Amino acid sequence: MNAASLALVEKSLLRGKWDSEIPEPSLSSGADLARLAVGCHFRDVLKSDKARILFRPVSDDPDLSFQNLLDISIKPVEKDKVDAELTRLAIAVACLHAFVQANWTGPDLDINPLEILSDNADATTAWTEEAIHAKAISELAFGGEPAYHLAKVPIFLRAAQLLVGLDYEHMQSISWWRLRVEMVRQRVLDDPVPNSVDFRELLEPLRSSLAQEPEIVGRMYLELGLLEHLLSRDNSAADLFVKAARSTGLEYELTGALGRRTKFQETELSQLVLLAESRLNISDGAIKSGKAEDTINDQNTNPDREDTTNVPETLALNDDTLLEQTEFTSSRSAGLGSSLSHIDPSAQPPLHPLDQCILLSLCLNVRNTSPSHGLTTEQMSPYVSRVVSHPRNWTVHTMALLLRSRLESSRTRTVERSTLQLQALIDQMPTSDSSASERLLFFHSIPMPSSWEMEKELAQRFLSLGVVKSALEIFERLEMWEDVVKCYGALEKPEKGIAVIRDLLEGRKQEAKAVISRGKAPSVQRQRLQDATREAKLWCLLGDLDPANAEHDYKHAWELSNETSGRAMRSLGGYYFARANYQEAISCLRQAVKINPLLTRSWFILGCACMRIEDWEGAKDAFSRCVAIDEEDGESWNNLASMYLRTGVSKPKLDVNEEHTSPLSESQNMEIDGSSEAIPFENKMLAFRALKQGLRYSYENWRMWYNYMIVAMDVGELQEACRALGRIVEQTGDKAGALTVDEDVLDRLVEAVTRAPPNPEEAAAEEGAVPNPNEGHGLYRSVLNLLERTLLPRLSSPRIFRAYARLLSWQSKWEEAIKAYLDAYRCSIAGTIEKGETDSAKWREAVTEVEEIVDIVRNFGPRVEGYKWRSQARSILRTFIGRTREFEDEPEFGRLTELQEDLRKEEG
């Protein structure tokens, strides 16, 4: 086979559609198997002579791994090397897609693994369906995470994994197939575990060579993005989804158009709508049940005809108020300057299925990068509606309906359809309403859940609706014991959950449904073949349920898994942390995050444990990993800032408020004192930026605002400190009153303003053309708004009024300044002292305040035209002296009478 034909065959395998330009006479045996794999004739591929050679067992020792049991390395002569590699790749693709068909897309397979292996070896008792299944599940476990034990035909995925892992010299697409196999394997694990392989770098040469193939390049970016999404790297995933859209030429815009959403709505309102248009040929990718050639020919002769591909049923809402879908009454959107403004929102053109996959992926990213509030649903709905409105492919439409079901699950008027739609999607998987080719065509381009994940989602939906017994039945059938235990807890029967786990561990309860149906008793062989990783997880679950023996159970799980169970170390680390054994907790958690570094909870507890033993560098690294995985974790941003302020200081001197909201909450309040000068300024700026980022996701956390205010003051970001002080008062002023105001910070803000010349022209000459927002006139407006709009309407405090008065006197607003000083006096000790007071120290402090207010009135009063400042001052003195005659024997009392006499002389 020449290079051109080989390239076409590889592209056909990637697309899932055979290229008609491949010359029939030149087909080698490898290319012929590739064509069968593309057509989803997996039985023919796996029963072929080439496959029989690959799957020939070389031993009947059940303890050997599949890599040693099967001779998967065809030893070709030199002239057959290309064809041998293509043969291996075709068989690997057939194995992978057979596994996907059995567990994701349906319909049911017409071949089983035992049938293949029995053809290639003498009949031995070692080769049983149960033994093959258990061994494959065990080998698919990775990073301490078990594979789902009821997955069908797992040997096919394991075989595909082994085949693509061989050396290939002539298959340019092998890295892509390794990505696809890895993606499927990750979706079989209980929790995803990052792989050290950098698929973006490995696929870059292939992307460069396929630059003129927009559909294939778009698929590549999309699949890379979905892997990043699965591993919770949402920013990276978002970039790749956008690159996929650019590669295919997809144009889309979220905008508004006039329309109605309810049956009785009379006034047209602007409704969110996603305008989108494909540049790819929309006739590609939509395969009907039946002959694909007929479909494409029909679309070529009648391109305007609406596609009639068999797709899952879209259930009607049948609500008495809501419309089935938004009715747009305007043919134009709000974005008049957009390149898509010519599209009528109510009659948009069909999209290519790959572009539909990109839109659904972008919708996933909206969910992951938005706060948990109503706008998320409002943003996602237009994406889903745009795809649902034009069904083009069975799998893509299934995913769109599933996303719509999730969006509707939280709304009263749509929750019924949401649950029924999810049930309908599950029921239609094993049917033959569409071909396997159509279902697999875009499988790798969407994050479609497996059949057991969809059933688990249905059970969780039942659980959220309070239908606990129905949820319990599904979880028991799926043998998801952790969820079974939760259901028993909801039913207030926790002892039954413990009994279930003990029965499983002690062999009194069989796991596999098929084994139960055959009535087999527990056997030593079954116990030996059971997946150790999964059994370790059961021991961890038992430790969660039985705190008295938890330490023993977690350690036993760790030993049982041969020290690979991340769950065991996470649980043991949490156990030690709760009991203040921080050194042991750190040791366990470091092993846990080494096994699976994607779980933010493990990093967070590790950081908290390091803080407790004052390992600031270790805590800083842990919280850095937390925010790298989940940038919306505001509490981790706060703790990271605290660590920046502690690292680089020989002896930590920052005061820490140790009142934690929960055992795992390490949010701290930091106070500025002289020791802050020992902290490097670079660290202070890092802390400031960390807190600023964290407040985007914890906007209502007043403690973080307080920390932010303190650090902002320390680094000179007074504008931000002013904003933070306002937020603190808005959130806590009603409960704590004036105690919520850090009056030292307020005084420093006012001082930063009043240091500048009051004349703006003089200040501009000193500061330059652009005023500094953190001092003088650049800061004045913010501080004035803080006082007038936030503090004074809520709080009464002498220092707050005095700060306001200083700001007014700086602006030469003498009358307003006197009023503010008088307000401060009225709520001070002198203004509130009662007749009969006996505390002499308090009285002396009040005397000082009286003298100060009289001096202020004497100094500012003459500057206000028509203001009777003398009578105001005499009134203050007369009132205070009348209330405190009990202290007339004190020497300070004489000062007050002298001050009275001075005022009389000035008036005379």
Side-chain angles (χ1 to χ4, degrees), residues 807-818:
L807 198 64
L808 293 171
S809 60
W810 178 70
Q811 288 288 295
S812 301
K813 298 178 181 179
W814 307 116
E815 185 173 5
E816 296 176 36
I818 292 174

PDB file of all heavy atoms in Angstrom, residues 807-818:
ATOM      1  N   LEU A 807     -12.025  65.320  56.574  1.00  0.00           N
ATOM      2  CA  LEU A 807     -12.132  65.339  55.116  1.00  0.00           C
ATOM      3  C   LEU A 807     -12.844  66.612  54.647  1.00  0.00           C
ATOM      4  O   LEU A 807     -12.442  67.240  53.649  1.00  0.00           O
ATOM      5  CB  LEU A 807     -12.891  64.092  54.642  1.00  0.00           C
ATOM      6  CG  LEU A 807     -12.741  63.696  53.175  1.00  0.00           C
ATOM      7  CD1 LEU A 807     -11.298  63.318  52.868  1.00  0.00           C
ATOM      8  CD2 LEU A 807     -13.665  62.527  52.854  1.00  0.00           C
ATOM      9  N   LEU A 808     -13.884  67.035  55.382  1.00  0.00           N
ATOM     10  CA  LEU A 808     -14.633  68.235  55.005  1.00  0.00           C
ATOM     11  C   LEU A 808     -13.809  69.493  55.244  1.00  0.00           C
ATOM     12  O   LEU A 808     -13.818  70.420  54.421  1.00  0.00           O
ATOM     13  CB  LEU A 808     -15.928  68.296  55.809  1.00  0.00           C
ATOM     14  CG  LEU A 808     -16.961  67.211  55.508  1.00  0.00           C
ATOM     15  CD1 LEU A 808     -18.090  67.251  56.514  1.00  0.00           C
ATOM     16  CD2 LEU A 808     -17.515  67.363  54.096  1.00  0.00           C
ATOM     17  N   SER A 809     -13.087  69.528  56.354  1.00  0.00           N
ATOM     18  CA  SER A 809     -12.270  70.720  56.637  1.00  0.00           C
ATOM     19  C   SER A 809     -11.134  70.847  55.632  1.00  0.00           C
ATOM     20  O   SER A 809     -10.719  71.962  55.293  1.00  0.00           O
ATOM     21  CB  SER A 809     -11.728  70.653  58.063  1.00  0.00           C
ATOM     22  OG  SER A 809     -10.921  69.502  58.243  1.00  0.00           O
ATOM     23  N   TRP A 810     -10.643  69.701  55.123  1.00  0.00           N
ATOM     24  CA  TRP A 810      -9.610  69.741  54.070  1.00  0.00           C
ATOM     25  C   TRP A 810     -10.144  70.437  52.826  1.00  0.00           C
ATOM     26  O   TRP A 810      -9.411  71.135  52.123  1.00  0.00           O
ATOM     27  CB  TRP A 810      -9.172  68.306  53.762  1.00  0.00           C
ATOM     28  CG  TRP A 810      -8.155  68.186  52.661  1.00  0.00           C
ATOM     29  CD1 TRP A 810      -6.843  68.564  52.700  1.00  0.00           C
ATOM     30  CD2 TRP A 810      -8.372  67.624  51.359  1.00  0.00           C
ATOM     31  NE1 TRP A 810      -6.222  68.267  51.507  1.00  0.00           N
ATOM     32  CE2 TRP A 810      -7.135  67.686  50.667  1.00  0.00           C
ATOM     33  CE3 TRP A 810      -9.471  67.068  50.723  1.00  0.00           C
ATOM     34  CZ2 TRP A 810      -6.990  67.224  49.360  1.00  0.00           C
ATOM     35  CZ3 TRP A 810      -9.329  66.597  49.423  1.00  0.00           C
ATOM     36  CH2 TRP A 810      -8.105  66.674  48.748  1.00  0.00           C
ATOM     37  N   GLN A 811     -11.436  70.300  52.586  1.00  0.00           N
ATOM     38  CA  GLN A 811     -12.074  70.937  51.449  1.00  0.00           C
ATOM     39  C   GLN A 811     -12.647  72.315  51.801  1.00  0.00           C
ATOM     40  O   GLN A 811     -13.390  72.899  51.014  1.00  0.00           O
ATOM     41  CB  GLN A 811     -13.197  70.043  50.929  1.00  0.00           C
ATOM     42  CG  GLN A 811     -12.724  68.796  50.220  1.00  0.00           C
ATOM     43  CD  GLN A 811     -12.131  69.109  48.854  1.00  0.00           C
ATOM     44  OE1 GLN A 811     -12.831  69.566  47.954  1.00  0.00           O
ATOM     45  NE2 GLN A 811     -10.826  68.890  48.705  1.00  0.00           N
ATOM     46  N   SER A 812     -12.324  72.788  53.008  1.00  0.00           N
ATOM     47  CA  SER A 812     -12.788  74.100  53.484  1.00  0.00           C
ATOM     48  C   SER A 812     -14.304  74.187  53.583  1.00  0.00           C
ATOM     49  O   SER A 812     -14.889  75.277  53.441  1.00  0.00           O
ATOM     50  CB  SER A 812     -12.252  75.224  52.575  1.00  0.00           C
ATOM     51  OG  SER A 812     -10.844  75.224  52.555  1.00  0.00           O
ATOM     52  N   LYS A 813     -14.949  73.081  53.836  1.00  0.00           N
ATOM     53  CA  LYS A 813     -16.395  73.068  54.056  1.00  0.00           C
ATOM     54  C   LYS A 813     -16.610  73.179  55.563  1.00  0.00           C
ATOM     55  O   LYS A 813     -16.947  72.214  56.253  1.00  0.00           O
ATOM     56  CB  LYS A 813     -17.001  71.784  53.494  1.00  0.00           C
ATOM     57  CG  LYS A 813     -16.816  71.657  51.987  1.00  0.00           C
ATOM     58  CD  LYS A 813     -17.396  70.337  51.467  1.00  0.00           C
ATOM     59  CE  LYS A 813     -17.199  70.205  49.965  1.00  0.00           C
ATOM     60  NZ  LYS A 813     -17.725  68.945  49.429  1.00  0.00           N
ATOM     61  N   TRP A 814     -16.442  74.443  56.089  1.00  0.00           N
ATOM     62  CA  TRP A 814     -16.340  74.643  57.531  1.00  0.00           C
ATOM     63  C   TRP A 814     -17.639  74.335  58.260  1.00  0.00           C
ATOM     64  O   TRP A 814     -17.618  73.720  59.335  1.00  0.00           O
ATOM     65  CB  TRP A 814     -15.896  76.083  57.819  1.00  0.00           C
ATOM     66  CG  TRP A 814     -14.645  76.436  57.077  1.00  0.00           C
ATOM     67  CD1 TRP A 814     -14.503  77.373  56.103  1.00  0.00           C
ATOM     68  CD2 TRP A 814     -13.359  75.850  57.261  1.00  0.00           C
ATOM     69  NE1 TRP A 814     -13.213  77.420  55.637  1.00  0.00           N
ATOM     70  CE2 TRP A 814     -12.480  76.481  56.345  1.00  0.00           C
ATOM     71  CE3 TRP A 814     -12.841  74.853  58.098  1.00  0.00           C
ATOM     72  CZ2 TRP A 814     -11.128  76.160  56.257  1.00  0.00           C
ATOM     73  CZ3 TRP A 814     -11.504  74.538  58.004  1.00  0.00           C
ATOM     74  CH2 TRP A 814     -10.650  75.182  57.093  1.00  0.00           C
ATOM     75  N   GLU A 815     -18.737  74.772  57.725  1.00  0.00           N
ATOM     76  CA  GLU A 815     -20.004  74.541  58.418  1.00  0.00           C
ATOM     77  C   GLU A 815     -20.309  73.055  58.534  1.00  0.00           C
ATOM     78  O   GLU A 815     -20.720  72.552  59.583  1.00  0.00           O
ATOM     79  CB  GLU A 815     -21.137  75.260  57.687  1.00  0.00           C
ATOM     80  CG  GLU A 815     -22.464  75.166  58.419  1.00  0.00           C
ATOM     81  CD  GLU A 815     -23.541  76.015  57.765  1.00  0.00           C
ATOM     82  OE1 GLU A 815     -23.278  76.598  56.675  1.00  0.00           O
ATOM     83  OE2 GLU A 815     -24.651  76.103  58.323  1.00  0.00           O
ATOM     84  N   GLU A 816     -20.095  72.299  57.401  1.00  0.00           N
ATOM     85  CA  GLU A 816     -20.332  70.860  57.429  1.00  0.00           C
ATOM     86  C   GLU A 816     -19.338  70.165  58.345  1.00  0.00           C
ATOM     87  O   GLU A 816     -19.672  69.175  59.025  1.00  0.00           O
ATOM     88  CB  GLU A 816     -20.241  70.290  56.015  1.00  0.00           C
ATOM     89  CG  GLU A 816     -21.319  70.819  55.074  1.00  0.00           C
ATOM     90  CD  GLU A 816     -21.128  70.296  53.654  1.00  0.00           C
ATOM     91  OE1 GLU A 816     -20.713  69.129  53.509  1.00  0.00           O
ATOM     92  OE2 GLU A 816     -21.375  71.051  52.709  1.00  0.00           O
ATOM     93  N   ALA A 817     -18.112  70.672  58.379  1.00  0.00           N
ATOM     94  CA  ALA A 817     -17.095  70.071  59.255  1.00  0.00           C
ATOM     95  C   ALA A 817     -17.480  70.245  60.724  1.00  0.00           C
ATOM     96  O   ALA A 817     -17.346  69.317  61.535  1.00  0.00           O
ATOM     97  CB  ALA A 817     -15.738  70.697  58.984  1.00  0.00           C
ATOM     98  N   ILE A 818     -17.961  71.491  61.093  1.00  0.00           N
ATOM     99  CA  ILE A 818     -18.390  71.712  62.483  1.00  0.00           C
ATOM    100  C   ILE A 818     -19.511  70.764  62.840  1.00  0.00           C
ATOM    101  O   ILE A 818     -19.520  70.170  63.936  1.00  0.00           O
ATOM    102  CB  ILE A 818     -18.824  73.180  62.661  1.00  0.00           C
ATOM    103  CG1 ILE A 818     -17.615  74.117  62.533  1.00  0.00           C
ATOM    104  CG2 ILE A 818     -19.500  73.379  64.011  1.00  0.00           C
ATOM    105  CD1 ILE A 818     -17.983  75.589  62.542  1.00  0.00           C
TER     106      ILE A 818
END
